[in-house]
Short mmCIF file of all heavy atoms in Angstrom, two decimals:
data_model
loop_
_atom_site.label_atom_id
_atom_site.label_comp_id
_atom_site.label_asym_id
_atom_site.label_seq_id
_atom_site.Cartn_x
_atom_site.Cartn_y
_atom_site.Cartn_z
N MET A 1 0.79 -1.21 0.01
CA MET A 1 0.00 0.00 -0.01
C MET A 1 0.85 1.29 0.00
O MET A 1 0.43 2.24 -0.60
CB MET A 1 -0.96 0.00 1.20
CG MET A 1 -2.12 -0.92 1.01
SD MET A 1 -3.31 -0.24 -0.06
CE MET A 1 -4.63 0.05 1.06
N PRO A 2 2.01 1.31 0.67
CA PRO A 2 2.79 2.55 0.62
C PRO A 2 3.17 2.93 -0.81
O PRO A 2 3.21 4.11 -1.13
CB PRO A 2 4.02 2.21 1.47
CG PRO A 2 3.58 1.11 2.36
CD PRO A 2 2.60 0.32 1.57
N ASP A 3 3.48 1.94 -1.66
CA ASP A 3 3.83 2.25 -3.05
C ASP A 3 2.67 2.88 -3.78
O ASP A 3 2.83 3.80 -4.56
CB ASP A 3 4.28 0.99 -3.78
CG ASP A 3 5.63 0.48 -3.32
OD1 ASP A 3 6.38 1.28 -2.69
OD2 ASP A 3 5.96 -0.68 -3.56
N CYS A 4 1.47 2.39 -3.51
CA CYS A 4 0.26 2.93 -4.15
C CYS A 4 0.03 4.35 -3.70
O CYS A 4 -0.23 5.24 -4.50
CB CYS A 4 -0.92 2.04 -3.83
SG CYS A 4 -2.44 2.55 -4.65
N ARG A 5 0.14 4.59 -2.40
CA ARG A 5 -0.04 5.96 -1.87
C ARG A 5 1.00 6.91 -2.46
O ARG A 5 0.70 8.05 -2.82
CB ARG A 5 0.05 5.97 -0.34
CG ARG A 5 -1.17 5.48 0.30
CD ARG A 5 -1.17 5.76 1.79
NE ARG A 5 -2.19 4.96 2.42
CZ ARG A 5 -1.96 3.96 3.22
NH1 ARG A 5 -0.75 3.64 3.57
NH2 ARG A 5 -2.96 3.27 3.73
N SER A 6 2.22 6.44 -2.56
CA SER A 6 3.28 7.27 -3.12
C SER A 6 2.98 7.62 -4.59
O SER A 6 3.19 8.75 -5.01
CB SER A 6 4.62 6.51 -3.03
OG SER A 6 5.64 7.24 -3.65
N ALA A 7 2.50 6.66 -5.34
CA ALA A 7 2.15 6.91 -6.74
C ALA A 7 1.01 7.92 -6.85
O ALA A 7 1.04 8.80 -7.73
CB ALA A 7 1.78 5.59 -7.44
N ILE A 8 0.03 7.82 -5.98
CA ILE A 8 -1.09 8.76 -6.00
C ILE A 8 -0.60 10.15 -5.64
O ILE A 8 -0.96 11.15 -6.31
CB ILE A 8 -2.20 8.30 -5.02
CG1 ILE A 8 -2.86 7.04 -5.56
CG2 ILE A 8 -3.23 9.42 -4.81
CD1 ILE A 8 -3.77 6.35 -4.57
N GLU A 9 0.23 10.25 -4.62
CA GLU A 9 0.76 11.57 -4.22
C GLU A 9 1.61 12.18 -5.34
O GLU A 9 1.53 13.38 -5.59
CB GLU A 9 1.56 11.43 -2.94
CG GLU A 9 0.68 11.13 -1.73
CD GLU A 9 1.45 10.68 -0.51
OE1 GLU A 9 2.71 10.56 -0.59
OE2 GLU A 9 0.81 10.47 0.53
N GLN A 10 2.38 11.36 -6.02
CA GLN A 10 3.18 11.86 -7.15
C GLN A 10 2.28 12.35 -8.26
O GLN A 10 2.51 13.41 -8.85
CB GLN A 10 4.13 10.79 -7.66
CG GLN A 10 5.00 11.29 -8.79
CD GLN A 10 5.96 10.24 -9.31
OE1 GLN A 10 5.98 9.11 -8.89
NE2 GLN A 10 6.75 10.65 -10.30
N LEU A 11 1.24 11.60 -8.56
CA LEU A 11 0.29 12.02 -9.59
C LEU A 11 -0.33 13.36 -9.21
O LEU A 11 -0.41 14.27 -10.03
CB LEU A 11 -0.81 10.97 -9.78
CG LEU A 11 -1.96 11.36 -10.71
CD1 LEU A 11 -1.46 11.60 -12.13
CD2 LEU A 11 -3.04 10.31 -10.69
N GLN A 12 -0.74 13.49 -7.96
CA GLN A 12 -1.35 14.75 -7.51
C GLN A 12 -0.37 15.93 -7.67
O GLN A 12 -0.78 16.99 -8.12
CB GLN A 12 -1.77 14.66 -6.06
CG GLN A 12 -3.01 13.83 -5.87
CD GLN A 12 -3.39 13.67 -4.40
OE1 GLN A 12 -2.54 13.32 -3.59
NE2 GLN A 12 -4.64 13.92 -4.09
N ARG A 13 0.90 15.74 -7.33
CA ARG A 13 1.88 16.81 -7.44
C ARG A 13 2.13 17.18 -8.90
O ARG A 13 2.46 18.33 -9.18
CB ARG A 13 3.20 16.38 -6.81
CG ARG A 13 3.21 16.43 -5.30
CD ARG A 13 4.62 16.25 -4.75
NE ARG A 13 5.30 15.05 -5.21
CZ ARG A 13 5.22 13.87 -4.61
NH1 ARG A 13 4.50 13.73 -3.51
NH2 ARG A 13 5.88 12.84 -5.08
N ARG A 14 1.99 16.24 -9.79
CA ARG A 14 2.38 16.47 -11.19
C ARG A 14 1.22 16.65 -12.16
O ARG A 14 1.42 16.72 -13.37
CB ARG A 14 3.27 15.32 -11.66
CG ARG A 14 4.56 15.25 -10.82
CD ARG A 14 5.55 14.29 -11.43
NE ARG A 14 5.91 14.74 -12.75
CZ ARG A 14 6.20 13.90 -13.76
NH1 ARG A 14 6.18 12.61 -13.57
NH2 ARG A 14 6.51 14.37 -14.95
N LEU A 15 0.01 16.73 -11.65
CA LEU A 15 -1.15 16.84 -12.54
C LEU A 15 -1.03 17.97 -13.55
O LEU A 15 -1.42 17.83 -14.70
CB LEU A 15 -2.45 17.02 -11.72
CG LEU A 15 -3.10 15.76 -11.22
CD1 LEU A 15 -4.29 16.09 -10.32
CD2 LEU A 15 -3.53 14.85 -12.36
N ASP A 16 -0.46 19.11 -13.10
CA ASP A 16 -0.36 20.26 -14.01
C ASP A 16 0.63 20.02 -15.14
O ASP A 16 0.64 20.72 -16.14
CB ASP A 16 0.00 21.52 -13.23
CG ASP A 16 -1.11 21.96 -12.31
OD1 ASP A 16 -2.28 21.68 -12.64
OD2 ASP A 16 -0.82 22.58 -11.29
N GLN A 17 1.49 19.01 -15.00
CA GLN A 17 2.44 18.66 -16.05
C GLN A 17 1.86 17.64 -17.02
O GLN A 17 2.48 17.33 -18.04
CB GLN A 17 3.71 18.08 -15.43
CG GLN A 17 4.43 19.05 -14.51
CD GLN A 17 5.54 18.33 -13.74
OE1 GLN A 17 5.92 17.22 -14.06
NE2 GLN A 17 6.03 18.98 -12.72
N GLY A 18 0.69 17.14 -16.70
CA GLY A 18 0.06 16.12 -17.54
C GLY A 18 -0.43 16.66 -18.88
O GLY A 18 -0.65 17.85 -19.04
N ARG A 19 -0.55 15.78 -19.80
CA ARG A 19 -1.05 16.11 -21.14
C ARG A 19 -2.41 15.42 -21.29
O ARG A 19 -2.48 14.20 -21.39
CB ARG A 19 -0.11 15.63 -22.22
CG ARG A 19 -0.57 15.94 -23.61
CD ARG A 19 0.47 15.50 -24.65
NE ARG A 19 -0.11 15.52 -25.97
CZ ARG A 19 -0.52 14.45 -26.62
NH1 ARG A 19 -0.33 13.24 -26.10
NH2 ARG A 19 -1.06 14.54 -27.81
N ALA A 20 -3.45 16.22 -21.31
CA ALA A 20 -4.80 15.69 -21.46
C ALA A 20 -5.23 15.76 -22.92
O ALA A 20 -4.96 16.77 -23.59
CB ALA A 20 -5.78 16.47 -20.59
N THR A 21 -5.83 14.73 -23.39
CA THR A 21 -6.36 14.72 -24.76
C THR A 21 -7.77 14.16 -24.78
O THR A 21 -8.15 13.34 -23.92
CB THR A 21 -5.47 13.84 -25.70
OG1 THR A 21 -5.41 12.52 -25.20
CG2 THR A 21 -4.08 14.41 -25.83
N LEU A 22 -8.53 14.64 -25.76
CA LEU A 22 -9.86 14.10 -26.01
C LEU A 22 -9.78 13.37 -27.34
O LEU A 22 -9.10 13.81 -28.25
CB LEU A 22 -10.88 15.22 -26.09
CG LEU A 22 -11.04 16.14 -24.90
CD1 LEU A 22 -12.15 17.17 -25.17
CD2 LEU A 22 -11.33 15.38 -23.64
N SER A 23 -10.48 12.29 -27.44
CA SER A 23 -10.52 11.55 -28.71
C SER A 23 -11.92 11.01 -28.91
O SER A 23 -12.76 10.95 -27.99
CB SER A 23 -9.50 10.43 -28.71
OG SER A 23 -9.73 9.51 -27.67
N THR A 24 -12.18 10.63 -30.14
CA THR A 24 -13.50 10.10 -30.47
C THR A 24 -13.45 8.60 -30.72
O THR A 24 -12.41 8.04 -31.09
CB THR A 24 -14.08 10.79 -31.73
OG1 THR A 24 -13.19 10.57 -32.83
CG2 THR A 24 -14.27 12.27 -31.51
N LEU A 25 -14.59 8.00 -30.53
CA LEU A 25 -14.79 6.57 -30.77
C LEU A 25 -16.03 6.42 -31.66
O LEU A 25 -16.79 7.37 -31.83
CB LEU A 25 -15.06 5.83 -29.45
CG LEU A 25 -14.03 5.96 -28.35
CD1 LEU A 25 -14.62 5.42 -27.05
CD2 LEU A 25 -12.79 5.20 -28.73
N GLU A 26 -16.23 5.23 -32.16
CA GLU A 26 -17.45 4.93 -32.91
C GLU A 26 -17.71 5.95 -34.02
O GLU A 26 -18.78 6.55 -34.09
CB GLU A 26 -18.66 4.85 -31.96
CG GLU A 26 -18.42 3.98 -30.77
CD GLU A 26 -19.21 2.69 -30.81
OE1 GLU A 26 -20.17 2.60 -31.58
OE2 GLU A 26 -18.80 1.78 -30.05
N HIS A 27 -16.70 6.18 -34.85
CA HIS A 27 -16.82 7.10 -35.99
C HIS A 27 -17.21 8.49 -35.57
O HIS A 27 -18.02 9.16 -36.20
CB HIS A 27 -17.83 6.56 -37.03
CG HIS A 27 -17.51 5.17 -37.48
ND1 HIS A 27 -16.43 4.87 -38.29
CD2 HIS A 27 -18.09 3.97 -37.20
CE1 HIS A 27 -16.38 3.57 -38.50
NE2 HIS A 27 -17.36 3.00 -37.86
N GLY A 28 -16.63 8.96 -34.47
CA GLY A 28 -16.85 10.32 -34.01
C GLY A 28 -18.14 10.53 -33.23
O GLY A 28 -18.49 11.65 -32.91
N GLN A 29 -18.82 9.45 -32.90
CA GLN A 29 -20.09 9.57 -32.18
C GLN A 29 -19.93 9.72 -30.67
O GLN A 29 -20.80 10.23 -29.99
CB GLN A 29 -20.98 8.37 -32.48
CG GLN A 29 -21.35 8.24 -33.94
CD GLN A 29 -22.15 9.42 -34.43
OE1 GLN A 29 -23.13 9.82 -33.83
NE2 GLN A 29 -21.71 9.99 -35.54
N LEU A 30 -18.81 9.23 -30.12
CA LEU A 30 -18.57 9.25 -28.69
C LEU A 30 -17.21 9.86 -28.39
O LEU A 30 -16.28 9.75 -29.19
CB LEU A 30 -18.64 7.84 -28.10
CG LEU A 30 -19.97 7.11 -28.26
CD1 LEU A 30 -19.83 5.66 -27.78
CD2 LEU A 30 -21.09 7.82 -27.47
N TRP A 31 -17.09 10.47 -27.22
CA TRP A 31 -15.85 11.13 -26.81
C TRP A 31 -15.31 10.50 -25.53
O TRP A 31 -16.07 10.10 -24.66
CB TRP A 31 -16.14 12.62 -26.52
CG TRP A 31 -16.43 13.39 -27.77
CD1 TRP A 31 -17.65 13.53 -28.35
CD2 TRP A 31 -15.51 14.13 -28.54
NE1 TRP A 31 -17.54 14.30 -29.48
CE2 TRP A 31 -16.25 14.70 -29.62
CE3 TRP A 31 -14.15 14.36 -28.45
CZ2 TRP A 31 -15.64 15.49 -30.57
CZ3 TRP A 31 -13.55 15.16 -29.40
CH2 TRP A 31 -14.29 15.71 -30.45
N CYS A 32 -13.98 10.45 -25.41
CA CYS A 32 -13.34 9.99 -24.18
C CYS A 32 -12.10 10.85 -23.93
O CYS A 32 -11.61 11.52 -24.84
CB CYS A 32 -12.99 8.51 -24.26
SG CYS A 32 -11.91 8.06 -25.60
N TRP A 33 -11.64 10.86 -22.68
CA TRP A 33 -10.43 11.63 -22.36
C TRP A 33 -9.33 10.70 -21.85
O TRP A 33 -9.61 9.61 -21.38
CB TRP A 33 -10.73 12.75 -21.37
CG TRP A 33 -11.29 12.30 -20.03
CD1 TRP A 33 -12.59 12.30 -19.68
CD2 TRP A 33 -10.56 11.83 -18.91
NE1 TRP A 33 -12.73 11.85 -18.38
CE2 TRP A 33 -11.48 11.56 -17.89
CE3 TRP A 33 -9.21 11.60 -18.65
CZ2 TRP A 33 -11.12 11.07 -16.64
CZ3 TRP A 33 -8.83 11.11 -17.41
CH2 TRP A 33 -9.80 10.87 -16.41
N HIS A 34 -8.10 11.18 -21.98
CA HIS A 34 -6.92 10.46 -21.55
C HIS A 34 -5.95 11.45 -20.92
O HIS A 34 -5.87 12.59 -21.37
CB HIS A 34 -6.22 9.77 -22.72
CG HIS A 34 -7.12 8.93 -23.56
ND1 HIS A 34 -7.43 7.64 -23.25
CD2 HIS A 34 -7.80 9.23 -24.68
CE1 HIS A 34 -8.28 7.16 -24.15
NE2 HIS A 34 -8.51 8.11 -25.03
N LEU A 35 -5.21 11.01 -19.94
CA LEU A 35 -4.19 11.84 -19.31
C LEU A 35 -2.87 11.10 -19.33
O LEU A 35 -2.82 9.92 -18.91
CB LEU A 35 -4.61 12.18 -17.87
CG LEU A 35 -3.65 13.06 -17.09
CD1 LEU A 35 -3.56 14.46 -17.71
CD2 LEU A 35 -4.04 13.15 -15.62
N GLU A 36 -1.82 11.77 -19.79
CA GLU A 36 -0.47 11.20 -19.85
C GLU A 36 0.50 12.04 -19.04
O GLU A 36 0.35 13.26 -18.96
CB GLU A 36 0.05 11.17 -21.29
CG GLU A 36 -0.68 10.25 -22.21
CD GLU A 36 -0.08 10.27 -23.61
OE1 GLU A 36 0.84 11.06 -23.89
OE2 GLU A 36 -0.55 9.49 -24.45
N LEU A 37 1.48 11.38 -18.43
CA LEU A 37 2.61 12.03 -17.81
C LEU A 37 3.87 11.41 -18.37
O LEU A 37 3.98 10.18 -18.40
CB LEU A 37 2.59 11.81 -16.29
CG LEU A 37 1.78 12.78 -15.46
CD1 LEU A 37 1.73 12.31 -14.00
CD2 LEU A 37 2.35 14.18 -15.53
N ASP A 38 4.76 12.21 -18.85
CA ASP A 38 6.01 11.72 -19.43
C ASP A 38 5.74 10.71 -20.55
O ASP A 38 6.46 9.72 -20.71
CB ASP A 38 6.91 11.07 -18.36
CG ASP A 38 7.26 12.05 -17.24
OD1 ASP A 38 7.41 13.25 -17.53
OD2 ASP A 38 7.40 11.60 -16.09
N GLY A 39 4.69 10.94 -21.30
CA GLY A 39 4.37 10.06 -22.42
C GLY A 39 3.74 8.74 -22.05
O GLY A 39 3.53 7.89 -22.90
N ARG A 40 3.43 8.57 -20.75
CA ARG A 40 2.81 7.31 -20.30
C ARG A 40 1.40 7.57 -19.83
O ARG A 40 1.15 8.55 -19.11
CB ARG A 40 3.63 6.74 -19.14
CG ARG A 40 5.04 6.35 -19.56
CD ARG A 40 5.89 5.89 -18.43
NE ARG A 40 5.23 4.80 -17.71
CZ ARG A 40 5.57 4.42 -16.50
NH1 ARG A 40 6.53 5.05 -15.85
NH2 ARG A 40 4.95 3.42 -15.91
N PRO A 41 0.45 6.72 -20.19
CA PRO A 41 -0.93 6.92 -19.73
C PRO A 41 -1.03 6.72 -18.21
O PRO A 41 -0.46 5.80 -17.66
CB PRO A 41 -1.72 5.84 -20.47
CG PRO A 41 -0.71 4.83 -20.89
CD PRO A 41 0.59 5.53 -21.01
N VAL A 42 -1.74 7.66 -17.55
CA VAL A 42 -1.93 7.54 -16.12
C VAL A 42 -3.39 7.53 -15.72
O VAL A 42 -3.74 7.11 -14.62
CB VAL A 42 -1.19 8.67 -15.33
CG1 VAL A 42 0.30 8.51 -15.46
CG2 VAL A 42 -1.64 10.05 -15.79
N ALA A 43 -4.27 7.98 -16.62
CA ALA A 43 -5.71 7.97 -16.32
C ALA A 43 -6.48 8.10 -17.64
O ALA A 43 -5.98 8.67 -18.60
CB ALA A 43 -6.10 9.09 -15.37
N SER A 44 -7.71 7.57 -17.63
CA SER A 44 -8.59 7.76 -18.79
C SER A 44 -10.03 7.64 -18.31
O SER A 44 -10.29 7.09 -17.25
CB SER A 44 -8.31 6.72 -19.87
OG SER A 44 -8.53 5.42 -19.38
N SER A 45 -10.91 8.16 -19.12
CA SER A 45 -12.34 8.11 -18.76
C SER A 45 -12.78 6.65 -18.73
O SER A 45 -12.35 5.83 -19.55
CB SER A 45 -13.18 8.92 -19.72
OG SER A 45 -12.95 8.53 -21.08
N ALA A 46 -13.63 6.35 -17.80
CA ALA A 46 -14.15 4.99 -17.65
C ALA A 46 -15.29 4.74 -18.63
O ALA A 46 -15.69 3.59 -18.83
CB ALA A 46 -14.62 4.76 -16.23
N ARG A 47 -15.79 5.80 -19.21
CA ARG A 47 -16.89 5.66 -20.16
C ARG A 47 -16.71 6.70 -21.26
O ARG A 47 -15.89 7.59 -21.16
CB ARG A 47 -18.23 5.86 -19.45
CG ARG A 47 -18.33 7.23 -18.75
CD ARG A 47 -19.72 7.59 -18.37
NE ARG A 47 -20.49 7.92 -19.54
CZ ARG A 47 -21.45 8.81 -19.58
NH1 ARG A 47 -21.80 9.45 -18.50
NH2 ARG A 47 -22.09 9.06 -20.70
N ALA A 48 -17.50 6.57 -22.28
CA ALA A 48 -17.48 7.51 -23.38
C ALA A 48 -18.71 8.43 -23.24
O ALA A 48 -19.72 8.07 -22.65
CB ALA A 48 -17.52 6.78 -24.71
N TYR A 49 -18.56 9.62 -23.80
CA TYR A 49 -19.61 10.64 -23.70
C TYR A 49 -20.14 10.99 -25.08
O TYR A 49 -19.40 10.96 -26.05
CB TYR A 49 -19.03 11.91 -23.03
CG TYR A 49 -18.47 11.60 -21.66
CD1 TYR A 49 -17.13 11.26 -21.49
CD2 TYR A 49 -19.28 11.64 -20.54
CE1 TYR A 49 -16.63 10.96 -20.24
CE2 TYR A 49 -18.79 11.32 -19.28
CZ TYR A 49 -17.48 11.00 -19.15
OH TYR A 49 -16.97 10.68 -17.91
N ARG A 50 -21.41 11.33 -25.13
CA ARG A 50 -22.05 11.65 -26.40
C ARG A 50 -21.65 13.04 -26.92
O ARG A 50 -21.68 13.27 -28.11
CB ARG A 50 -23.55 11.58 -26.27
CG ARG A 50 -24.06 10.15 -26.09
CD ARG A 50 -25.57 10.09 -26.28
NE ARG A 50 -26.04 8.75 -26.09
CZ ARG A 50 -26.10 7.84 -27.05
NH1 ARG A 50 -25.69 8.12 -28.26
NH2 ARG A 50 -26.54 6.63 -26.81
N ARG A 51 -21.28 13.93 -26.00
CA ARG A 51 -20.93 15.30 -26.42
C ARG A 51 -19.53 15.64 -25.95
O ARG A 51 -19.13 15.28 -24.83
CB ARG A 51 -21.94 16.28 -25.83
CG ARG A 51 -23.32 16.11 -26.42
CD ARG A 51 -24.32 17.07 -25.79
NE ARG A 51 -25.62 16.90 -26.40
CZ ARG A 51 -26.51 15.97 -26.07
NH1 ARG A 51 -26.21 15.08 -25.15
NH2 ARG A 51 -27.66 15.91 -26.66
N GLN A 52 -18.82 16.37 -26.77
CA GLN A 52 -17.45 16.79 -26.43
C GLN A 52 -17.46 17.61 -25.13
O GLN A 52 -16.60 17.44 -24.29
CB GLN A 52 -16.84 17.60 -27.56
CG GLN A 52 -15.41 18.02 -27.28
CD GLN A 52 -14.81 18.83 -28.41
OE1 GLN A 52 -15.49 19.22 -29.36
NE2 GLN A 52 -13.52 19.08 -28.32
N ARG A 53 -18.42 18.51 -24.97
CA ARG A 53 -18.45 19.35 -23.77
C ARG A 53 -18.64 18.51 -22.50
O ARG A 53 -18.10 18.85 -21.45
CB ARG A 53 -19.49 20.45 -23.90
CG ARG A 53 -20.91 19.97 -23.82
CD ARG A 53 -21.89 21.15 -23.79
NE ARG A 53 -23.23 20.67 -23.59
CZ ARG A 53 -24.14 20.59 -24.52
NH1 ARG A 53 -23.86 20.99 -25.77
NH2 ARG A 53 -25.34 20.14 -24.27
N GLU A 54 -19.39 17.41 -22.60
CA GLU A 54 -19.55 16.53 -21.43
C GLU A 54 -18.22 15.84 -21.10
O GLU A 54 -17.87 15.68 -19.92
CB GLU A 54 -20.60 15.45 -21.71
CG GLU A 54 -22.00 15.97 -21.85
CD GLU A 54 -22.98 14.91 -22.32
OE1 GLU A 54 -22.54 13.87 -22.86
OE2 GLU A 54 -24.18 15.14 -22.17
N CYS A 55 -17.51 15.48 -22.12
CA CYS A 55 -16.19 14.85 -21.92
C CYS A 55 -15.23 15.84 -21.28
O CYS A 55 -14.55 15.51 -20.31
CB CYS A 55 -15.67 14.36 -23.27
SG CYS A 55 -14.14 13.40 -23.17
N GLN A 56 -15.19 17.08 -21.79
CA GLN A 56 -14.34 18.10 -21.23
C GLN A 56 -14.70 18.40 -19.77
O GLN A 56 -13.82 18.53 -18.89
CB GLN A 56 -14.42 19.39 -22.04
CG GLN A 56 -13.78 19.28 -23.39
CD GLN A 56 -14.06 20.47 -24.27
OE1 GLN A 56 -15.19 20.97 -24.33
NE2 GLN A 56 -13.05 20.92 -24.99
N TYR A 57 -15.99 18.47 -19.49
CA TYR A 57 -16.46 18.73 -18.13
C TYR A 57 -16.00 17.62 -17.19
O TYR A 57 -15.52 17.88 -16.09
CB TYR A 57 -17.99 18.85 -18.13
CG TYR A 57 -18.56 18.92 -16.73
CD1 TYR A 57 -18.59 20.13 -16.05
CD2 TYR A 57 -19.08 17.80 -16.11
CE1 TYR A 57 -19.11 20.20 -14.76
CE2 TYR A 57 -19.59 17.86 -14.82
CZ TYR A 57 -19.60 19.07 -14.16
OH TYR A 57 -20.11 19.13 -12.88
N ASN A 58 -16.15 16.39 -17.62
CA ASN A 58 -15.78 15.25 -16.75
C ASN A 58 -14.26 15.13 -16.59
O ASN A 58 -13.80 14.72 -15.52
CB ASN A 58 -16.42 13.98 -17.25
CG ASN A 58 -17.88 13.92 -16.87
OD1 ASN A 58 -18.20 13.68 -15.72
ND2 ASN A 58 -18.77 14.25 -17.80
N LEU A 59 -13.50 15.50 -17.56
CA LEU A 59 -12.04 15.57 -17.41
C LEU A 59 -11.72 16.62 -16.34
O LEU A 59 -10.91 16.36 -15.45
CB LEU A 59 -11.36 15.93 -18.72
CG LEU A 59 -9.89 16.27 -18.66
CD1 LEU A 59 -9.06 15.14 -18.07
CD2 LEU A 59 -9.35 16.70 -20.02
N ALA A 60 -12.33 17.79 -16.42
CA ALA A 60 -12.09 18.84 -15.43
C ALA A 60 -12.48 18.36 -14.03
O ALA A 60 -11.78 18.65 -13.05
CB ALA A 60 -12.85 20.12 -15.81
N ARG A 61 -13.58 17.64 -13.93
CA ARG A 61 -14.01 17.12 -12.61
C ARG A 61 -13.02 16.10 -12.08
O ARG A 61 -12.73 16.06 -10.90
CB ARG A 61 -15.41 16.47 -12.71
CG ARG A 61 -16.53 17.41 -13.09
CD ARG A 61 -16.70 18.64 -12.21
NE ARG A 61 -16.71 18.31 -10.80
CZ ARG A 61 -16.18 19.08 -9.85
NH1 ARG A 61 -15.63 20.21 -10.14
NH2 ARG A 61 -16.24 18.71 -8.59
N PHE A 62 -12.49 15.24 -12.96
CA PHE A 62 -11.47 14.28 -12.54
C PHE A 62 -10.25 15.01 -12.00
O PHE A 62 -9.74 14.70 -10.93
CB PHE A 62 -11.05 13.35 -13.68
CG PHE A 62 -9.84 12.57 -13.35
CD1 PHE A 62 -9.91 11.43 -12.55
CD2 PHE A 62 -8.58 12.97 -13.79
CE1 PHE A 62 -8.76 10.72 -12.21
CE2 PHE A 62 -7.43 12.27 -13.44
CZ PHE A 62 -7.54 11.14 -12.65
N LEU A 63 -9.76 16.01 -12.75
CA LEU A 63 -8.58 16.73 -12.34
C LEU A 63 -8.79 17.45 -11.00
O LEU A 63 -7.92 17.41 -10.13
CB LEU A 63 -8.15 17.73 -13.42
CG LEU A 63 -7.65 17.09 -14.73
CD1 LEU A 63 -7.46 18.14 -15.79
CD2 LEU A 63 -6.36 16.30 -14.50
N ALA A 64 -9.96 18.07 -10.84
CA ALA A 64 -10.25 18.74 -9.57
C ALA A 64 -10.31 17.74 -8.42
O ALA A 64 -9.78 17.98 -7.34
CB ALA A 64 -11.57 19.52 -9.69
N GLY A 65 -10.96 16.62 -8.65
CA GLY A 65 -11.06 15.59 -7.61
C GLY A 65 -9.71 14.99 -7.27
O GLY A 65 -9.39 14.75 -6.11
N ALA A 66 -8.90 14.76 -8.28
CA ALA A 66 -7.57 14.17 -8.06
C ALA A 66 -6.69 15.12 -7.27
O ALA A 66 -5.92 14.68 -6.41
CB ALA A 66 -6.93 13.81 -9.39
N ARG A 67 -6.80 16.41 -7.54
CA ARG A 67 -6.01 17.40 -6.81
C ARG A 67 -6.38 17.46 -5.34
O ARG A 67 -5.52 17.63 -4.48
CB ARG A 67 -6.18 18.78 -7.43
CG ARG A 67 -5.42 18.99 -8.70
CD ARG A 67 -5.55 20.41 -9.21
NE ARG A 67 -4.88 20.55 -10.47
CZ ARG A 67 -5.49 20.51 -11.65
NH1 ARG A 67 -6.79 20.38 -11.72
NH2 ARG A 67 -4.80 20.60 -12.77
N SER A 68 -7.64 17.32 -5.05
CA SER A 68 -8.13 17.53 -3.68
C SER A 68 -8.31 16.24 -2.89
O SER A 68 -8.62 16.30 -1.70
CB SER A 68 -9.42 18.32 -3.69
OG SER A 68 -10.45 17.55 -4.34
N ALA A 69 -8.15 15.09 -3.52
CA ALA A 69 -8.38 13.82 -2.81
C ALA A 69 -7.36 13.60 -1.70
O ALA A 69 -6.17 13.86 -1.85
CB ALA A 69 -8.31 12.67 -3.81
N ALA A 70 -7.87 13.13 -0.57
CA ALA A 70 -6.98 12.76 0.54
C ALA A 70 -6.41 11.38 0.29
O ALA A 70 -7.02 10.55 -0.39
CB ALA A 70 -7.77 12.79 1.84
N SER A 71 -5.26 11.10 0.84
CA SER A 71 -4.61 9.82 0.60
C SER A 71 -5.32 8.66 1.33
O SER A 71 -5.07 7.51 1.02
CB SER A 71 -3.15 9.88 1.02
OG SER A 71 -3.06 10.06 2.41
N GLY A 72 -6.15 8.95 2.28
CA GLY A 72 -6.91 7.89 2.95
C GLY A 72 -6.25 7.40 4.23
O GLY A 72 -6.90 7.09 5.19
N GLY A 73 -4.93 7.30 4.26
CA GLY A 73 -4.25 6.85 5.47
C GLY A 73 -4.68 5.47 5.90
O GLY A 73 -5.16 4.67 5.11
N GLY A 74 -4.54 5.15 7.14
CA GLY A 74 -4.97 3.86 7.68
C GLY A 74 -4.13 2.70 7.21
O GLY A 74 -2.95 2.83 6.89
N ALA A 75 -4.76 1.52 7.14
CA ALA A 75 -4.10 0.26 6.81
C ALA A 75 -3.23 0.43 5.62
O ALA A 75 -2.33 -0.09 5.27
CB ALA A 75 -5.12 -0.82 6.58
#
């Protein structure tokens, strides 16, 4: 678990260095987002969105949540 917490904390510190992209699926009918750090994928949307603005909104929500998430502590 310490390795996992360390990875989460590193991601939180480096979110502003990430490269976020939006892409389409199903011949442009659906949108998804991806986040890379140092050219490596670190996060992506769990679902696809029908509208680009919904995808952008949910990427922003992920980034805000990731920045403010507590590490959880405990076990």
Side-chain angles (χ1 to χ4, degrees):
M1 285 283 248
D3 289 342
C4 184
R5 282 193 195 111
S6 176
I8 291 168
E9 290 167 357
Q10 181 180 3
L11 173 63
Q12 286 177 311
R13 284 191 304 271
R14 298 191 60 214
L15 275 175
D16 292 333
Q17 298 170 14
R19 179 176 167 257
T21 58
L22 302 181
S23 59
T24 59
L25 304 168
E26 310 251 343
H27 305 289
Q29 299 298 310
L30 298 173
W31 290 86
C32 58
W33 60 262
H34 308 276
L35 181 65
E36 293 181 356
L37 274 173
D38 301 327
R40 296 175 55 197
V42 293
S44 61
S45 54
R47 58 165 288 212
Y49 302 91
R50 291 192 180 273
R51 293 178 179 83
Q52 182 181 9
R53 71 173 185 255
E54 292 171 344
C55 187
Q56 289 171 317
Y57 172 82
N58 283 284
L59 170 59
R61 297 305 311 145
F62 168 79
L63 293 171
R67 283 185 183 98
S68 64
S71 66

